[in-house]
Amino acid sequence: MCSKRRSSPFRTVTFRLTLWYAGLFGTLSLAVFVVVYIALISSLGQRTDADLTNTAKEFETLYSTHGIEALRAEFQREAESRGIKRVFFQLFSPQDELLAASDLSVWGELKVGSIAPAYPSNGEVSFDTVSVPRHPNKVRVILKRTGDGCVIQVGTTLQENEALMKKYRETFGTALVVMLFCGAVVGWFVARRAMSGVERVTQTAVRIGKGDLSRRVPLGKEGQEIDNLALAFNDMLERIQALVRELKEVTNNI
């Protein structure tokens, strides 16, 4: 005797299609996140570099026109305006001697060669992202060489950028959970609708198995494939019912 396979909702096509839809939604969401994440990092980096470049050029212009004292005073004003914990400014001689600087009390000892990129040529700039002791955030540094060979160093923390990216990751994590849930719900409804025609065929087959040969599979709106299955099943029932009638007639004649 053949035993019936135990029914389990996890073995159904509906459940598998639900998983597929949830996985598809999750994969597409992750792809969008990666693209936006990379674009956002690039945009924030370009904005930071542009701000550093403009600041360094302004300092160079001030230094060349008004001298080192004016530059030293501007260092202090600019650092107090932006926050001494967020930015620092330094001016080094061609021999790496510190000529002017903003308030470095929270930065420790900063040397031009220790946390800076390679020296640029006259009029050019160079960038680097470095770590500073006792500071949890990365620091973006620019070096700009002046016409007399001195080097202007401008540094700014990436705290705002990193906080923004962290917020974006947290927001995406929540959105991903929502997308997976929506994908599962949509997948379940679509799968249930798609498999409702198969369910009608199954119910009809069960009724026929109990001796009701007059049952037919009603047509639905699930699609042409389900309609073709229902029509083929109904044609088979017609032939079976005709054979049964002929068998009864032969039996009666005998």
Side-chain angles (χ1 to χ4, degrees):
M1 180 185 299
C2 295
S3 60
K4 293 184 178 180
R5 181 176 295 180
R6 183 174 299 176
S7 177
S8 173
F10 301 105
R11 299 176 63 89
T12 62
V13 176
T14 300
F15 177 76
R16 295 176 182 178
L17 288 177
T18 300
L19 290 182
W20 273 103
Y21 272 93
L24 179 62
F25 271 65
T27 302
L28 292 177
S29 300
L30 184 61
V32 172
F33 164 78
V34 171
V35 173
V36 175
Y37 190 82
I38 294 175
L40 186 58
I41 289 179
S42 177
S43 177
L44 292 175
Q46 292 176 2
R47 186 182 67 179
T48 300
D49 289 351
D51 181 65
L52 289 174
T53 301
N54 293 333
T55 302
K57 288 181 178 179
E58 291 174 1
F59 287 156
E60 181 186 21
T61 301
L62 181 64
Y63 173 67
S64 61
T65 55
H66 295 86
I68 190 172
E69 293 299 328
L71 180 62
R72 182 180 291 110
E74 184 64 20
F75 278 175
Q76 296 297 332
R77 286 194 297 266
E78 191 72 18
E80 292 176 358
S81 174
R82 299 191 184 187
I84 61 175
K85 293 182 179 181
R86 295 179 53 198
V87 296
F88 63 84
F89 314 112
Q90 298 188 96
L91 175 67
F92 291 90
S93 69
Q95 293 76 32
D96 292 348
E97 297 178 359
L98 182 61
L99 302 178
S102 60
D103 187 352
L104 303 178
S105 59
V106 298
W107 292 94
E109 184 180 1
L110 294 176
K111 296 180 180 180
V112 67
S114 60
I115 64 162
Y119 271 27
S121 303
N122 289 345
E124 297 182 355
V125 298
S126 58
F127 295 93
D128 197 8
T129 301
V130 297
S131 297
V132 177
R134 297 184 298 174
H135 280 265
N137 304 106
K138 295 287 188 179
V139 177
R140 187 66 170 171
V141 179
I142 182 176
L143 291 183
K144 181 169 181 56
R145 187 176 291 277
T146 62
D148 60 358
C150 293
V151 175
I152 296 176
Q153 183 186 54
V154 180
T156 180
T157 65
L158 300 178
Q159 179 179 359
E160 294 182 357
N161 293 1
E162 293 175 359
L164 178 61
M165 298 311 299
K166 180 181 179 181
K167 185 65 176 179
Y168 176 72
R169 291 192 296 270
E170 293 174 350
T171 303
F172 170 75
T174 303
L176 180 60
V177 173
V178 175
M179 290 297 294
L180 288 175
F181 176 77
C182 292
V185 172
V186 172
W188 186 83
F189 277 109
V190 172
R192 287 289 297 176
R193 179 175 176 81
M195 299 306 297
S196 60
V198 178
E199 184 67 22
R200 291 201 308 274
V201 175
T202 302
Q203 293 175 358
T204 302
V206 171
R207 295 293 298 273
I208 293 172
K210 295 179 179 180
D212 186 5
L213 295 178
S214 63
R215 300 287 298 182
R216 296 294 183 270
V217 180
L219 300 181
K221 299 180 180 180
E222 294 82 6
Q224 187 63 43
E225 294 84 355
I226 300 298
D227 289 345
N228 291 339
L229 174 62
L231 291 174
F233 195 80
N234 290 338
D235 290 341
M236 181 186 68
L237 291 178
E238 292 288 348
R239 291 194 296 271
I240 292 176
Q241 193 171 26
L243 290 174
V244 170
R245 284 197 302 267
E246 293 177 1
L247 181 59
K248 288 182 177 180
E249 290 178 359
V250 172
T251 302
N252 291 337
N253 291 335
I254 294 176

